[in-house]
Amino acid sequence: MLGAAGALLCMALGTALGAGLKERRCARLRLLENEVELLARLRLMILEERLGLPALLRACAADGGEGLFARRLEKTAEFLEKHPLAGLREAYRQAVSALPLSAEKPEEKAVMDALFAQLGTGTAAMREQAAASAIRKLRPLSDKAREQAEKGGKLLMQLGLLFGLMAGIALW
């Protein structure tokens, strides 16, 4: 019916669908890697510097580049400066609602919520331990996401191509 051009179009659309699904898996991996990297920086900054929490979060976000989690840290610092009595946990929750991350799963949300609840109280050593604990919890999630992105990404691309090819043949 559609001819060769239609078959090629179906194949291209199937490949694009596979690429889109692969990108979703890779987005989660990038988010987790960015979170782990920024938390490692935050941990070092807690130990080395005696900054207030908003300044600490801003410095960490500035060092973190243009990642989505860095923007969330910046939003947390902004809210904390505007509402200093709200507490770090509430500031982080406001940042989460202002900047939802589609790649973030409930496991990561729980780890980060617990971290920001602990960062708002205690000594620098306790804060550093909270950051270290969050990193230890996020690393296996990051490793699992990397494995899924590597394994499943190629498979999704091939399945998309195959689906497009089958649709093209069926519509030819």
Side-chain angles (χ1 to χ4, degrees):
M1 274 188 193
L2 294 176
L8 285 175
L9 181 63
C10 286
M11 204 167 68
L13 287 175
T15 304
L17 176 68
L21 293 173
K22 178 183 176 183
E23 177 57 32
R24 287 183 66 188
R25 286 185 180 221
C26 291
R28 180 165 186 250
L29 174 62
R30 283 192 305 272
L31 174 66
L32 282 167
E33 287 176 344
N34 187 246
E35 286 177 345
V36 169
E37 179 185 334
L38 284 175
L39 288 181
R41 282 196 181 113
L42 183 67
R43 181 178 174 210
L44 288 174
M45 289 177 152
I46 289 171
L47 287 175
E48 293 175 359
E49 299 180 22
R50 299 288 180 230
L51 296 173
L53 284 174
L56 182 70
L57 293 174
R58 284 191 190 280
C60 188
D63 289 346
E66 294 297 316
L68 296 172
F69 188 66
R71 282 188 263 165
R72 190 179 274 179
L73 287 180
E74 184 70 33
K75 257 311 188 206
T76 303
E78 284 176 20
F79 185 83
L80 200 56
E81 287 174 341
K82 289 179 185 174
H83 308 284
L85 298 177
L88 186 59
R89 184 179 207 169
E90 182 58 31
Y92 182 72
R93 285 184 177 164
Q94 292 296 322
V96 168
S97 65
L99 289 171
L101 305 176
S102 61
E104 191 174 41
K105 301 266 176 147
E107 306 95 57
E108 295 105 51
K109 287 181 182 180
V111 169
M112 299 309 290
D113 191 46
L115 169 67
F116 280 91
Q118 293 172 344
L119 280 180
T121 61
T123 64
M126 292 169 68
R127 292 176 181 175
E128 185 270 332
Q129 285 299 318
S133 175
I135 291 169
R136 280 193 304 275
K137 290 175 185 174
L138 288 176
R139 279 216 172 103
L141 296 174
S142 178
D143 293 342
K144 184 179 176 185
R146 180 178 292 107
E147 182 181 312
Q148 287 178 343
E150 288 171 357
K151 256 196 225 175
K154 184 176 180 184
L155 178 65
L156 288 171
M157 288 286 292
Q158 291 171 344
L159 286 175
L161 177 65
L162 181 63
F163 174 72
L165 185 61
M166 288 184 346
I169 289 171
L171 295 174
W172 188 324

